[in-house]
Amino acid sequence: MRPELFAAAHLACPVCQRALEESGRVLGCPAGHRFDLARQGYVSLLGGKGTAHRSDTADMVAARARVFASGLYTPIQNAVAAAATRPGRDESTEVIVDAAGGTGAYLAAVLDARRDGAVGVSVDLSKSCARTAARAHPRAVSVVADLWASIPILTGAASTVLSVFAPRNVAETTRILMPGGHWVIITPNPGHLAEIVEPMGMLRVGDGKADRLEADLRSDFDVTATERVVASLDLLPDQLADIAGMGPAGFHRTADELLAAAADLASGGAATAALDVTVTLARRR
């Protein structure tokens, strides 16, 4: 079986939760539910249900892709890959699920760090993200789904789940992870990009993140490792605009407004900001 088909074989029907199989350009379950593969390479498993959650726009995804292409977030990508790559595992059966996978950049970093046997599934509500993630790695499949409704993965099928700057559906993550599987969680610290948050109209890191993470993990997980990742960035105006525009600021500020704010902040040169995140590795009991 081709690696990408092996990954698809771990997808669950969003209607009846039975296993999906690929036949040509269609994924189907034994109950007869069918889901067409989009020509851009992803499959929507929303199951016909609406959602109240907002998904990233094409402009936000393009900004994020430029940030990753520039290497600005490479320290975080490397930290995610290191946390998700552990010795002594049979990687030929590894299924890595990136929950709210965005462009697929973090999932691709993990798959690049592994042998050819490991496969990945990027799950995101945004079709714009899904289109980009479908091209992120040859051993990954891209799925559109609402993480707050369900994660369309078979129970116990995932060996690793990634949650990078992402909302956490604890019940669903626990369900899809096999016993002994790992959850890699990236959370921003108060100093993360703090120098540019206010002038670029970005959201501040909220209080109590560490307490909420501890509460999320308490019932079914043991924390096996934590690491703080800090890196200094020198950001040109277009990079400042992209970092702001790829997040929630992109919903309420235009590209021209972000570039104007970035030009004021950089004053013709570069502005300095720090990446500051915590990597938490938790093992499912």
Side-chain angles (χ1 to χ4, degrees), residues 62-98:
R64 191 174 301 171
R66 289 191 294 269
V67 168
F68 284 117
S70 71
L72 293 172
Y73 273 39
T74 296
I76 302 176
Q77 287 177 277
N78 291 343
V80 172
T85 304
R86 301 170 303 281
R89 300 293 295 272
D90 180 6
E91 293 181 355
S92 64
T93 61
E94 292 273 340
V95 178
I96 301 100
V97 176
D98 194 351

Side-chain angles (χ1 to χ4, degrees), residues 238-253:
D238 59 337
Q239 295 172 325
L240 283 166
D242 279 342
I243 285 179
M246 73 182 190
F251 286 126
H252 55 80
R253 302 191 77 179

Side-chain angles (χ1 to χ4, degrees), residues 81-89 91 94 114 159-160 180-182 184 224 281:
T85 304
R86 301 170 303 281
R89 300 293 295 272
E91 293 181 355
E94 292 273 340
R114 292 174 174 262
S159 57
T160 303
H182 284 79
V184 180
T224 59
L281 181 63

